[in-house]
Amino acid sequence: MNEEGCKPRIDYPCCWVYKVIGRDPEAMRSAIAEAMAGCAHAVTPSRSSRSGAYHCLNVETTVESEPVRLDLYERLRRHPAVLMVL
C-alpha cells in the first residue's frame, strides 16, 4: 500500500512472477502448463523445504491487465497440485 492507503499502482502490460508452492514438482509443472495455456511463460525452480516435502517454482509471464493477472492467479490457485500461490 502507498502512503494514501491505496493499492500500489501497476502499469500494464508488465512482467509478473507467481510463486507456486506444492508437494510434487512435476505435478506442479503440469498444473502451470494447464493454467498458463496460450500464455508465454518461463518456469524456474525456486526453493524446497529442508525435508523436501514442499517445493516452490517461479512462473514468469507478461500480463496485459489486472483482470488477466488475477485470472491466472485463480487458475493456478484452484489446481489440486498447487497448495499456494504468492
Side-chain angles (χ1 to χ4, degrees), residues 20-57:
V20 179
I21 300 167
R23 294 184 184 269
D24 180 349
E26 290 310 309
M28 291 165 53
R29 287 181 183 277
S30 294
I32 291 165
E34 186 179 311
M36 303 296 287
C39 298
H41 64 282
V43 179
T44 55
S46 184
R47 301 187 60 161
S48 294
S49 64
R50 184 171 295 186
S51 66
Y54 300 97
H55 305 277
C56 181
L57 298 174

Side-chain angles (χ1 to χ4, degrees), residues 12-85:
Y12 296 98
C14 67
C15 180
W16 197 263
V17 177
Y18 299 94
K19 290 193 152 298
V20 179
I21 300 167
R23 294 184 184 269
D24 180 349
E26 290 310 309
M28 291 165 53
R29 287 181 183 277
S30 294
I32 291 165
E34 186 179 311
M36 303 296 287
C39 298
H41 64 282
V43 179
T44 55
S46 184
R47 301 187 60 161
S48 294
S49 64
R50 184 171 295 186
S51 66
Y54 300 97
H55 305 277
C56 181
L57 298 174
N58 294 327
V59 182
E60 186 173 336
T61 189
T62 299
V63 292
E64 300 298 323
S65 64
E66 184 165 0
V68 170
R69 179 178 63 83
L70 295 175
D71 179 58
L72 291 172
Y73 170 84
E74 283 300 319
R75 285 196 260 168
L76 289 165
R77 186 187 67 79
R78 285 192 308 257
H79 198 284
V82 175
L83 297 176
M84 184 183 307
V85 180

